[in-house]
Amino acid sequence: MKQPVRLLSGVLLALLFSLETSASERWVVLGGDIAETLSALKADINLVARDDTVLYPETLTALPSVGYLRQLSAESVLSVQPDRILANQHAGPKEVLEQLDAVGVTLDVVSAPAT
């Protein structure tokens, strides 16, 4: 079970190092796996909202929820005024992610193996 965590951490590390970000940038995280990895990497300072699958660490459950990972609405996500969305590959529906991308929010989809 350690391999997927390392792979996801590696993917997120590469993504985080490639980001030109500032402390004022606002992130929404969609996916408990991504949120947990960001927290473990101490890279969760910019998070302003999460989806309902984010249950750990408990400190992140205090963030506003934008709905369930696979049943999102663009309005709910946009209501927290994000600059960037870090999304699990299962986030959707696809049309909502396309709407978010179309309005100019940076969307990073992180794919990880199921095992």
Side-chain angles (χ1 to χ4, degrees), residues 31-80:
D33 54 346
I34 298 172
E36 186 173 344
T37 304
L38 285 172
S39 183
L41 295 171
K42 306 282 189 243
D44 56 358
I45 190 75
N46 292 30
L47 294 181
V48 296
R50 61 173 178 85
D51 78 290
D52 290 342
T53 66
V54 176
L55 303 174
Y56 183 85
E58 193 172 323
T59 55
L60 296 184
T61 62
L63 293 173
S65 173
V66 296
Y68 177 66
L69 176 71
R70 297 178 193 215
Q71 297 175 340
L72 298 167
S73 74
E75 294 82 4
S76 178
V77 176
L78 291 173
S79 72
V80 295

Side-chain angles (χ1 to χ4, degrees), residues 3-48:
Q3 184 62 23
V5 173
R6 276 185 265 156
L7 177 61
L8 184 58
S9 295
V11 169
L12 280 176
L13 271 174
L15 175 64
L16 291 172
F17 283 122
S18 71
L19 296 179
E20 293 182 26
T21 185
S22 69
S24 64
E25 193 172 59
R26 299 171 59 83
W27 296 355
V28 171
V29 64
L30 304 175
D33 54 346
I34 298 172
E36 186 173 344
T37 304
L38 285 172
S39 183
L41 295 171
K42 306 282 189 243
D44 56 358
I45 190 75
N46 292 30
L47 294 181
V48 296

